[in-house]
Amino acid sequence: MGMEPTLVIIKPDGLKKSLTGDILSRLSETKLKIIAAKIMKVPKELAEKHYQHLSKEPFFEELIRYITGKIHGENRVMAMVYYGEGAISKIREIAGATNPEEANPVSIRGAYGRILTSGIFENVIHASSSQDEAEREIKLWFEPDEIVMDLYPTEEKVFEKVIKRVWKE
Ligand code: IDP
Ligand code: MG
């Protein structure tokens, strides 16, 4: 426990169902601090790295389709980092069990999740489940400068010939 960060992702079903506000309200009950947030598309490579621990599961391919928005025709997710005392367990508690049918009905997954006919647990949010997982996931989803706190050691790298899209003058 102690002061720790955790990664939260509102999955494509959460955005599709306009649940963002409700979910943020529920999460704010924890009194944890949001230290990073963005709406983004999820590239397949990022999805596969994020769920690498499940790559042997029969539902893996469908899970990648889910998190990349292919199932809902909604390619946005909202990724956030919450920080504070016992952040990981506090958020997991409000999120509820992985299987939405077993989740506490007042938890986010219990209230808004469902099981798709494909068998995938459509459970609205992701939340890191350990400090190691949080570190791995936060480094996957965010760059150091997108987070308003220094969570992990950084280094400076000089890039040459970087091609970057900018607003047209
Ligand atoms: P978690 O999201 O509660 O940490 P994980 O085991 O890390 O659970 O699984 C990641 C996601 O994969 C779940 O949130 C859910 O969407 C999906 N999932 C996990 N286990 C199953 C399963 O047995 N059947 C269908 N989908 C599953
Ligand atoms: Mg997990």
Side-chain angles (χ1 to χ4, degrees):
M1 276 254 274
M3 300 294 278
E4 61 190 13
T6 186
L7 180 80
V8 175
I9 298 166
I10 304 182
K11 297 181 179 183
D13 48 320
L15 280 116
K16 178 111 183 193
K17 295 174 178 169
S18 292
L19 293 172
T20 314
D22 287 4
I23 292 170
L24 293 179
S25 301
R26 292 300 313 279
L27 295 176
S28 69
E29 290 166 16
T30 60
K31 304 284 186 266
L32 296 165
K33 215 162 143 176
I34 304 180
I35 57 170
K38 60 182 171 183
I39 300 282
M40 60 185 282
K41 297 184 206 169
V42 183
K44 194 158 180 266
E45 303 69 48
L46 171 61
E48 287 171 350
K49 281 188 195 153
H50 178 75
Y51 283 132
Q52 65 182 26
H53 61 294
L54 298 170
S55 64
K56 299 281 182 305
E57 298 293 337
F59 56 82
F60 182 68
E61 218 168 292
E62 203 56 18
L63 179 60
I64 299 305
R65 278 178 28 85
Y66 169 30
I67 196 70
T68 56
K70 300 286 187 302
I71 294 179
H72 298 89
E74 169 57 83
N75 64 3
R76 294 169 305 151
V77 301
M78 184 168 184
M80 293 165 290
V81 180
Y82 280 78
Y83 181 84
E85 181 72 29
I88 293 169
S89 61
K90 280 181 184 163
I91 301 240
R92 290 284 297 190
E93 170 92 31
I94 292 188
T98 305
N99 181 340
E101 284 187 0
E102 286 168 8
N104 186 328
V106 302
S107 68
I108 293 168
R109 288 167 164 181
Y112 302 125
R114 61 177 179 167
I115 300 181
L116 296 177
T117 45
S118 65
I120 279 293
F121 299 161
E122 181 184 286
N123 55 12
V124 191
I125 75 165
H126 166 81
S128 308
S129 59
S130 69
Q131 289 192 352
D132 285 350
E133 192 178 273
E135 176 171 352
R136 189 186 78 83
E137 292 176 351
I138 290 167
K139 288 176 173 174
L140 210 51
W141 288 80
F142 287 93
E143 294 194 3
D145 288 336
E146 293 179 305
I147 304 174
V148 300
M149 265 179 77
D150 285 328
L151 296 175
Y152 310 112
T154 56
E155 60 185 351
E156 290 192 334
K157 254 191 190 172
V158 177
F159 291 94
E160 276 168 45
K161 289 198 187 157
V162 177
I163 298 177
K164 201 179 155 194
R165 210 156 71 104
V166 296
W167 299 118
K168 204 167 180 176
E169 282 186 17

